[in-house]
């Protein structure tokens, strides 16, 4: 189970809402934030960040291809092929995890994003039981941020 | 003035290039888009940019190491870090290593243009100082 506090969960909620507020004309709406039991929610495209250092675990952002195409349209990006959808989902995951360092500091060491299309075993093996899930809607598209962080053993 | 964009994300490289063109920054020409530190050093040696936007979280050589590598081959470069890493310690380290500015992701096109103008102004001031010697 994640060792995170409510305050720390709020850091990630703020990071994801700030991302959409800053870069798009429509804010993201948080639908739910909860400890996920059983099936970990995800969509077709996922950007996975591995966390090391004082903390261990992972952060991922997952959404649909339609959401990513809409986001690239907001950026006036004409190339909306799969490679750029993967690039976008990885960049969002990187931005959310990187912004969280404002609270956690440099000791939240984050990897470059691993990007995944499909239903991956990689996600299941990266996330432990009961991570925090933040479900959101942006421009009628669904997305989720999964945060699984624990303080590393000394 | 010549700009090199360094970021492992294709969409960020494209966004910075597009935003720079749309901002109509006179005298600013993009001379390279590098996906990693090795490409950045190679382009820097061949195209001799004046300004660089630099991501920090990249595979292989990270952005801090890339700042060191670029300043070894081009000590007068002015570097704007463009990164999601939002802790103070990382920003301070980047500035100590020789970066001239730090712009957090996510950034708006307007904020990027402002940061580039500040970087260009610094370069112009330096040229004026050298000219007066």
């Amino acid at each position: 189970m994640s060792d995170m506090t409510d305050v720390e969960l709020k850091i990630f909620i703020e990071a994801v809402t700030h991302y959409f507020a800053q870069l798009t004309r429509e804010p993201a709406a948080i639908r739910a934030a909860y400890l996920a039991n059983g099936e970990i929610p995800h969509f077709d495209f996922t950007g996975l960040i591995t966390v090391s250092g004082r903390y261990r675990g992972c952060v991922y952002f997952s959404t649909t291809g339609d959401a990513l195409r809409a986001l690239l349209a907001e950026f006036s990006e004409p190339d909306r092929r799969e490679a750029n959808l993967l690039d976008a989902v990885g960049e969002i995951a990187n931005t959310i995890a990187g912004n969280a360092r404002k609270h956690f500091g440099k000791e939240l060491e984050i990897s470059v994003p691993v990007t995944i299309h499909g239903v991956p075993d990689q996600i299941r093996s990266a996330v432990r039981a009961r991570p925090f899930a933040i479900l959101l809607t942006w421009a009628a598209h669904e997305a989720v941020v999964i945060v699984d962080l624990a303080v590393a053993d000394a | 003035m010549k700009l090199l964009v360094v970021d492992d994300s294709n969409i960020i490289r494209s966004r910075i290039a597009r935003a720079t063109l749309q901002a109509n920054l006179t005298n600013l020409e993009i001379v390279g888009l590098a996906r990693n530190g090795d490409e950045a050093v190679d382009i820097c040696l061949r195209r001799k940019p004046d300004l660089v936007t630099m991501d920090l979280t990249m595979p292989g050589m990270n952005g801090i190491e890339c700042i060191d590598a670029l300043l070894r081959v081009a000590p007068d470069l002015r570097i704007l870090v463009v990164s999601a890493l939002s802790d103070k310690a990382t920003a301070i380290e980047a500035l100590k290593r020789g970066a001239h500015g730090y712009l957090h992701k996510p950034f708006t096109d307007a904020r990027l243009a402002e940061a580039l103008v500040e970087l260009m102004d610094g370069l112009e001031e330096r040229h004026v100082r050298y000219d007066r010697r």
Side-chain angles (χ1 to χ4, degrees), chain A residues 80-101:
Chain A
R80 295 168 204 166
R81 288 176 289 185
E82 181 170 326
N84 262 5
L85 303 186
L86 287 166
D87 190 296
V89 82
E91 188 60 23
I92 298 169
N94 173 64
T95 303
I96 293 167
N99 286 183
R101 286 185 28 158

Side-chain angles (χ1 to χ4, degrees), chain B:
Chain B
M1 284 180 207
K2 296 188 283 188
L3 172 68
L4 165 63
V5 178
V6 186
D7 201 301
D8 62 332
S9 163
N10 182 48
I11 58 168
I12 295 292
R13 292 194 304 274
S14 300
R15 248 197 87 201
I16 291 175
R18 250 192 325 275
T20 304
L21 288 173
Q22 284 167 1
N24 229 355
L25 301 174
T26 47
N27 300 326
L28 188 61
E29 174 199 5
I30 295 172
V31 294
L33 303 173
R35 289 174 296 185
N36 55 51
D38 290 332
E39 279 189 8
V41 173
D42 179 53
I43 294 171
C44 186
L45 288 168
R46 286 188 293 108
R47 303 300 309 274
K48 307 207 178 317
D50 303 293
L51 312 171
V52 174
T53 67
M54 174 66 66
D55 186 18
L56 291 184
T57 309
M58 296 189 292
M61 190 190 302
N62 68 36
I64 296 286
E65 292 164 340
C66 190
I67 290 171
D68 288 343
L70 290 179
L71 290 177
R72 270 198 298 275
V73 298
D76 289 338
L77 266 184
R78 290 185 70 83
I79 299 174
L80 172 68
V81 171
V82 181
S83 173
L85 300 180
S86 299
D87 58 291
K88 274 187 193 162
T90 298
I92 290 167
E93 186 182 358
L95 296 172
K96 276 185 181 168
R97 295 290 190 104
H100 298 81
Y102 200 104
L103 177 63
H104 288 120
K105 293 178 182 175
F107 57 86
T108 62
D109 291 357
R111 186 65 199 95
L112 173 69
E114 281 172 22
L116 285 172
V117 167
E118 284 169 22
L119 210 61
M120 290 164 71
D121 285 349
L123 194 61
E124 276 170 2
E125 279 169 22
R126 194 168 61 192
H127 284 174
V128 169
R129 276 204 309 274
Y130 290 157
D131 290 347
R132 283 178 184 160
R133 280 179 189 171

Side-chain angles (χ1 to χ4, degrees), chain A residues 14-66:
Chain A
E14 283 172 6
V16 69
T17 52
H18 177 66
Y19 184 89
F20 287 98
Q22 184 85 343
L23 294 185
T24 76
R25 288 164 292 182
E26 190 159 346
I30 302 299
R31 288 169 39 219
Y34 61 97
L35 263 177
N37 281 311
E39 191 64 24
I40 310 294
H42 66 270
F43 297 92
D44 284 350
F45 288 85
T46 301
L48 174 69
I49 304 286
T50 304
V51 174
S52 58
R54 182 165 174 243
Y55 301 89
R56 62 188 158 80
C58 69
V59 176
Y60 76 72
F61 176 83
S62 187
T63 191
T64 63
D66 284 346

Side-chain angles (χ1 to χ4, degrees), chain A residues 2 6 20 41 65 69 77 81 101 111 114 116 126 134-135 138 151:
Chain A
S2 179
D6 287 352
F20 287 98
R69 278 184 281 274
E77 172 58 60
R81 288 176 289 185
R101 286 185 28 158
S111 71
V114 171
I116 304 156
I134 303 164
L135 291 176
W138 170 75
V151 176

Side-chain angles (χ1 to χ4, degrees), chain A residues 91 103 108:
Chain A
E91 188 60 23
H103 170 82
L108 186 82

